[in-house]
Amino acid sequence: MTFSIDHLGIAVKSLATAKSIYERLGMTVAAEETVEDEKVRVVMVPVGDSRLELLEATSEDSTIAKFIGKRGEGLHHVCLRVPDLGVAVDKLKSDGVRLVSNEIKIGAGGHRYIFVHPQSAGGVLLELVEGGSHG
């Protein structure tokens, strides 16, 4: 398996408002899902072999609420699909790469993920998810 872009995470104030442009284009928008650990509601919009992930905060102290408060709505993170998340994380840790959390978490759709700190990724919040197909 090769590396690929899994999704682009977009911070939005309102999922209903944000997803309407994609629906108007005739695109399929997945059902809303809540990720309690991250304090967000999520909607995925499939685009070819990738997806757009629309993220709405469910709490004022969530990362997404803080992001929007600081920078406004917009691109929040880029997510890469990697062949083996455990191997990738071990390699990054041994190379001294800064991670947002040292633990792999379970997110939307039951996918395992971890975030690389923007200081270690050219100013981009980089999410890594384990390979396989997304749905």
Side-chain angles (χ1 to χ4, degrees):
M1 190 197 138
T2 57
F3 291 81
S4 60
I5 293 178
D6 186 80
H7 66 266
L8 301 177
I10 303 170
V12 302
K13 291 178 183 173
S14 162
L15 285 179
T17 301
K19 70 183 183 180
S20 70
I21 184 65
Y22 305 106
E23 291 169 334
R24 287 184 190 132
L25 285 168
M27 299 171 78
T28 302
V29 176
E32 284 185 24
E33 185 175 348
T34 300
V35 181
E36 298 292 343
D37 284 353
E38 299 290 345
K39 299 177 184 172
V40 293
R41 259 189 303 280
V42 176
V43 165
M44 291 291 191
V45 182
V47 183
D49 291 334
S50 187
R51 301 174 289 178
L52 299 177
E53 178 185 48
L54 307 178
L55 300 150
E56 176 189 272
T58 59
S59 167
E60 286 302 312
D61 67 343
S62 77
T63 302
I64 294 301
K66 291 174 188 171
F67 177 89
I68 290 173
K70 228 185 218 178
R71 297 181 186 87
E73 293 179 294
L75 185 63
H76 179 261
H77 66 271
V78 173
C79 180
L80 297 179
R81 199 173 319 135
V82 301
D84 186 319
L85 187 57
V87 169
V89 168
D90 289 345
K91 169 127 181 58
L92 294 176
K93 284 181 180 178
S94 70
D95 289 346
V97 171
R98 184 173 174 196
L99 303 173
V100 172
S101 159
N102 285 319
E103 300 300 317
I104 293 173
K105 297 180 181 180
I106 306 294
H111 295 285
R112 299 172 68 230
Y113 72 96
I114 198 161
F115 282 98
V116 176
H117 196 281
Q119 287 182 334
S120 293
V124 174
L125 180 60
L126 185 63
E127 181 181 7
L128 304 177
V129 296
E130 190 128 79
S133 63
H134 53 70

